[in-house]
Amino acid sequence: MEIRVLKYFLVVAREQNITKSAEVLHITQPTLSRQLKELEEKLGTQLLIRGNKNISLTEDGLLFRKRAEEIVELADKTLNDMKNSKEELVGDIYIGSGETDGLRHIISSIKIINKKYPNIRFHIISGDKQDIIEKLDRGLIDFGVFLDPIDKTKYDYLKIPAMDTFGVLARKDSELAQKEFITKKDLIDKPIIISRQTTNDSNIMRWFGTTPDKLNIVATYNLAFNASLMVDEKVGYALILDKIINTSERSNLRFIPLKPNITIDMYIMWKKYQIFPKVTKKFLGQLKDSLE
């Protein structure tokens, strides 16, 4: 299976039109149609539903698009690493992370490396824990930033000298906004907005002392900013990490810590036995100097 053909398929999936796709790829329409047909025959399944004007993806086509994107991205990254290994510290470093103020410690190392070697480019890939683990395991990113609990057996890691604190994001005019701390009793009958992974987070569920089905969870979020919008619109109270949402005097929102408080250790991790190109080794060395 050629990378070139995967790129053809991804363009067709994006443009949803053979004629437009052929123009984008600078090849003839019959050539493109033949390549796609041969791809389907090789896979033994139909990927495209060919209409009179537009093309859509079958269920297998949707799955294959995700896999093709990962394969092309990994191939491009590998090619770039090989090319840059022959040059003097030019290349790309990919870091996956959720939303956390602790990322500042990593950014400090990025700033130092960027000043010394301006041709090294950094890419921060946002996502929740499961997204980042999947990308790290597939080799799509070099490093992942994680909060406990996290299984570290497959990875090497450095502990980040910071701890994230959980609390409640509330509107300043809400019932709970004037409290110094939020207890389980305060929240047990309130509408709660939680992150997508919190239902599997033993820290939070242990604090509540119950299971998710016993809570009044009205919404979940993947990005903290979206949670803050729901709080601002009075959907409910969001369980969230400190210092990632603006709660200044001009904001309608206030962050209130939990009692007993929940503080969480943080790590930057990479695959064991990973062989890094020169630019990534240089950055890892800077991380060790800064964090250890």
Side-chain angles (χ1 to χ4, degrees):
M1 191 182 305
E2 297 182 40
I3 298 296
R4 171 179 55 83
V5 178
L6 296 183
K7 291 181 177 180
Y8 287 175
F9 169 77
L10 291 175
V11 170
V12 172
R14 184 188 70 218
E15 298 294 333
Q16 299 182 348
N17 183 282
I18 287 288
T19 302
K20 287 182 182 177
S21 299
E23 290 173 359
V24 169
L25 293 166
H26 304 291
I27 60 176
T28 65
Q29 184 176 329
T31 298
L32 178 57
S33 295
R34 185 178 69 254
Q35 294 279 2
L36 294 172
K37 193 66 178 173
E38 289 175 358
L39 177 63
E40 288 179 317
E41 289 173 356
K42 185 172 291 187
L43 294 171
T45 188
Q46 183 181 351
L47 302 174
L48 305 170
I49 301 171
R50 297 160 174 83
N52 292 330
K53 293 184 178 180
N54 294 324
I55 284 178
S56 58
L57 299 181
T58 63
E59 188 173 338
D60 284 343
L62 291 169
L63 175 62
F64 186 72
R65 179 176 64 182
K66 184 175 186 299
R67 295 290 181 258
E69 287 171 344
E70 292 173 349
I71 292 168
V72 169
E73 185 178 349
L74 183 57
D76 288 345
K77 183 177 182 299
T78 303
L79 184 63
N80 193 48
D81 288 344
M82 293 298 100
K83 181 178 69 175
N84 291 327
S85 68
K86 300 186 176 91
E87 301 174 7
E88 185 57 32
L89 294 176
V90 177
D92 298 85
I93 295 172
Y94 294 82
I95 303 169
S97 177
E99 294 174 293
T100 168
D101 186 69
L103 194 60
R104 291 179 184 273
H105 292 271
I106 309 303
I107 293 170
S108 294
S109 293
I110 289 175
K111 184 178 179 181
I112 293 169
I113 289 292
N114 201 243
K115 192 171 183 179
K116 291 180 181 177
Y117 309 104
N119 290 321
I120 296 179
R121 295 178 300 273
F122 290 87
H123 308 273
I124 305 295
I125 313 298
S126 298
D128 63 21
K129 184 182 292 184
Q130 198 54 48
D131 294 332
I132 301 304
I133 287 174
E134 185 175 332
K135 284 181 170 59
L136 189 60
D137 289 345
R138 290 178 178 274
L140 300 176
I141 57 176
D142 303 301
F143 302 96
V145 177
F146 298 101
L147 304 177
D148 257 342
I150 178 76
D151 181 5
K152 297 183 279 292
T153 55
K154 296 191 300 181
Y155 309 98
D156 288 321
Y157 60 90
L158 293 169
K159 190 174 185 296
I160 298 172
M163 299 185 80
D164 262 341
T165 302
F166 261 108
V168 168
L169 193 66
R171 271 186 65 104
K172 290 177 179 175
D173 59 359
S174 66
E175 180 183 345
L176 301 181
Q178 303 312 311
K179 288 183 171 288
E180 185 179 0
F181 299 99
I182 297 293
T183 67
K184 175 179 69 174
K185 187 177 179 180
D186 293 325
L187 279 181
I188 203 70
D189 62 342
K190 298 293 189 296
I192 301 172
I193 303 162
I194 63 172
S195 73
R196 189 172 66 174
Q197 66 192 44
T198 295
T199 53
N200 299 318
D201 189 325
S202 58
N203 290 309
I204 293 295
M205 289 306 129
R206 197 158 46 232
W207 183 85
F208 273 112
T210 187
T211 54
D213 58 293
K214 298 294 193 298
L215 303 174
N216 183 18
I217 298 172
V218 295
T220 65
Y221 66 89
N222 192 25
L223 298 174
F225 179 72
N226 292 338
S228 73
L229 293 180
M230 288 191 279
V231 174
D232 198 30
E233 292 297 327
K234 302 182 179 181
V235 173
Y237 296 93
L239 276 161
I240 205 165
L241 293 171
D242 196 7
K243 299 179 183 177
I244 55 177
I245 294 297
N246 174 28
T247 55
S248 63
E249 288 184 8
R250 293 187 177 184
S251 170
N252 291 331
L253 308 177
R254 182 180 175 224
F255 177 86
I256 314 164
L258 302 178
K259 187 176 183 179
N261 68 330
I262 301 177
T263 55
I264 308 169
D265 288 329
M266 194 180 314
Y267 304 90
I268 183 164
M269 301 166 56
W270 60 98
K271 288 197 294 186
K272 279 187 176 179
Y273 316 114
Q274 178 83 17
I275 299 175
F276 284 132
K278 286 189 296 184
V279 291
T280 316
K281 286 180 182 176
K282 181 64 69 174
F283 177 63
L284 182 55
Q286 180 60 53
L287 278 175
K288 289 179 177 178
D289 289 344
S290 298
L291 300 181
E292 290 182 340

